[in-house]
């Protein structure tokens, strides 16, 4: 494997889009967060896997960053008419993915197998690998003391409420898949994508055996900061970090990843923090990281890969 990515969310999907343009897609693998997965209306929904799938297929909605282009929501409209749970919008086309996944899981297929089938149907050559085939659930405790599922926090409450803690239900019993571990161990370069470090990357690392596998190859690992100028481009990563007592800057990201990656890629807007990050024992590369166009994502992937190769020779 040439280029592997710890992935979750829109930032990771956009990075992967650049990676498959920079390298042979068959040499790219994503180890994807599954703790955001949820069962709704009897259907198994895997938001991070689906966002990566639709993005790599060129079928995603670029404005929202998730879901399918030219989607309709007639089924959700009908559900709302009956007073059903409609705060998590599943598009009419998107429903087909969840129907198929749920059917195959009920037939005994693993999530890894089903994901490969869905990827193949979309013509995706990169490997999208759930970090585990076992169920893991991100649970968020709100400042008022109530604990909710991640999708309730993120979608129903529009991540507009303060958080006091996060935990990953079932992670201690979960096992990493052989494919996910093999991708981590064999990659020339392993990249920690610009994803929310608390709820996209941490649940991947918390699966027993994953963090140690990542740590053991630190010199060839590269992290990309999801924080630019003290803010997350999308989602609540910056607010969650502050609410949980962490510094919501590239320095805070460096402190999270300093034992896992030898290099941190930061946006040029944050180059003033270079010395402070280097004091933590990380190499720093300042580059454009706002992936507003595929060409920027490709250049970012190439930068990360060169950094990983340079790290291997140090």
């Amino acid at each position: 494997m040439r280029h592997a990515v710890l992935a979750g969310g829109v930032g990771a999907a956009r990075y992967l889009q650049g990676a498959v343009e920079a390298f042979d897609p068959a040499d790219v693998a994503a180890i994807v967060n599954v703790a955001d997965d949820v069962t709704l209306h009897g259907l198994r929904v895997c938001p991070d896997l689906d966002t990566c799938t639709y993005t790599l297929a060129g079928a995603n909605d670029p404005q929202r960053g998730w879901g399918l282009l030219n989607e309709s929501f007639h089924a959700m409209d009908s559900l709302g008419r009956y007073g059903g749970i409609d705060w998590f919008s599943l598009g009419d086309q998107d429903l087909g993915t969840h129907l198929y996944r749920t059917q195959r899981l009920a037939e005994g297929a693993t999530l890894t197998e089903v994901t490969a089938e869905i990827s193949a149907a979309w013509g995706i050559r990169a490997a999208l690998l759930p970090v585990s085939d076992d169920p893991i659930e991100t649970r968020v405790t709100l400042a008022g003391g109530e604990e909710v599922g991640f999708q309730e926090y993120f979608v129903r409450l529009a991540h507009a409420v303060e958080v006091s803690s996060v935990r990953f239900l079932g992670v201690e019993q979960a096992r990493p898949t052989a494919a996910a571990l093999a991708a981590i161990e064999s990659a020339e370069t392993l990249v920690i994508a610009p994803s929310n470090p608390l709820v996209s990357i941490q649940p991947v690392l918390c699966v027993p055996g994953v963090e140690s596998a990542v740590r053991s190859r630190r010199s060839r690992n590269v992290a990309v900061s999801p924080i630019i100028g003290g803010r997350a481009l999308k989602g609540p990563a910056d607010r969650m970090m502050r609410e949980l007592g962490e510094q919501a800057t590239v320095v805070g990201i460096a402190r999270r990843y300093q034992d896992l990656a030898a290099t941190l890629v930061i946006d040029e807007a944050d180059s003033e923090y270079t010395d402070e990050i280097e004091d933590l024992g990380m190499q720093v590369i300042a580059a454009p990281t706002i992936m507003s166009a595929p060409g920027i994502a490709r250049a970012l992937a190439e930068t990360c890969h060169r950094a990983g190769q340079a790290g291997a020779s140090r």
Side-chain angles (χ1 to χ4, degrees), residues 2-313:
R2 190 176 188 199
H3 198 86
V5 184
L6 302 188
V10 173
R14 288 177 177 165
Y15 179 89
L16 286 168
Q17 189 176 33
V20 298
E21 291 187 6
F23 315 112
D24 183 340
D27 287 335
V28 176
I31 299 91
V32 184
N33 172 41
V34 297
D36 291 4
D37 296 1
V38 64
T39 298
L40 285 169
H41 321 301
L43 302 177
R44 193 62 176 166
V45 181
C46 301
D48 283 353
L49 284 167
D50 292 341
T51 296
C52 290
T53 298
Y54 297 156
T55 300
L56 290 182
N60 68 308
D61 184 328
Q63 297 301 317
R64 292 179 299 173
W66 54 269
L68 287 159
L69 187 64
N70 299 322
E71 184 63 280
S72 58
F73 294 89
H74 300 304
M76 288 295 105
D77 291 342
S78 294
L79 184 62
R81 182 180 301 116
Y82 303 134
I85 299 172
D86 61 353
W87 53 263
F88 192 98
S89 293
L90 299 175
D92 298 326
Q93 300 176 78
D94 188 35
L95 276 168
T97 300
H98 312 313
L99 285 164
Y100 180 76
R101 178 187 293 119
T102 304
Q103 172 198 332
R104 292 290 290 123
L105 291 174
E107 291 170 349
T110 66
L111 183 58
T112 296
E113 291 169 338
V114 178
T115 302
E117 293 166 2
I118 292 172
S119 294
W122 283 102
I124 295 170
R125 294 175 58 219
L128 295 180
L129 306 172
V131 65
S132 177
D133 288 328
D134 300 316
I136 306 168
E137 182 187 1
T138 297
R139 302 288 298 176
V140 178
T141 300
L142 309 181
E146 179 186 6
E147 185 181 68
V148 299
F150 177 75
Q151 297 303 339
E152 291 182 77
Y153 160 75
F154 190 75
V155 180
R156 183 174 68 84
L157 299 174
H159 52 80
V161 292
E162 188 174 345
V163 168
S164 63
S165 67
V166 176
R167 68 185 182 107
F168 309 114
L169 184 65
V171 75
E172 294 86 357
Q173 295 77 40
R175 295 166 299 171
T177 68
L181 284 181
I184 291 170
E185 292 165 357
S186 66
E188 292 179 15
T189 297
L190 176 68
V191 176
I192 302 176
S195 306
N196 187 316
L198 298 165
V199 293
S200 290
I201 301 301
Q202 191 60 26
V204 172
L205 294 169
C206 280
V207 175
V210 172
E211 183 171 348
S212 59
V214 172
R215 190 185 298 259
S216 69
R217 46 160 301 144
R218 177 183 181 272
S219 64
R220 293 176 290 151
N221 299 343
V222 180
V224 181
S225 176
I227 301 294
I228 300 173
R231 300 189 65 180
L233 291 180
K234 193 173 183 67
D238 51 344
R239 287 184 285 109
M240 291 186 81
M241 290 181 74
R242 285 193 294 270
E243 290 162 5
L244 297 179
E246 299 187 32
Q247 185 177 350
T249 67
V250 291
V251 177
I253 296 298
R255 291 195 179 108
R256 272 204 153 254
Y257 295 147
Q258 65 186 99
D259 295 331
L260 302 174
T263 303
L264 180 65
V265 178
I266 65 175
D267 194 80
E268 294 167 320
D270 287 315
S271 57
E272 64 187 276
Y273 293 102
T274 296
D275 290 345
E276 194 171 349
I277 296 169
E278 289 179 342
D279 287 343
L280 295 173
M282 299 184 81
Q283 301 289 323
V284 179
I285 297 174
T289 64
I290 300 176
M291 294 174 284
S292 55
I296 298 174
R298 174 175 181 158
L300 180 59
E302 291 171 339
T303 295
C304 289
H305 196 74
R306 287 193 297 270
Q309 290 181 309
S313 64

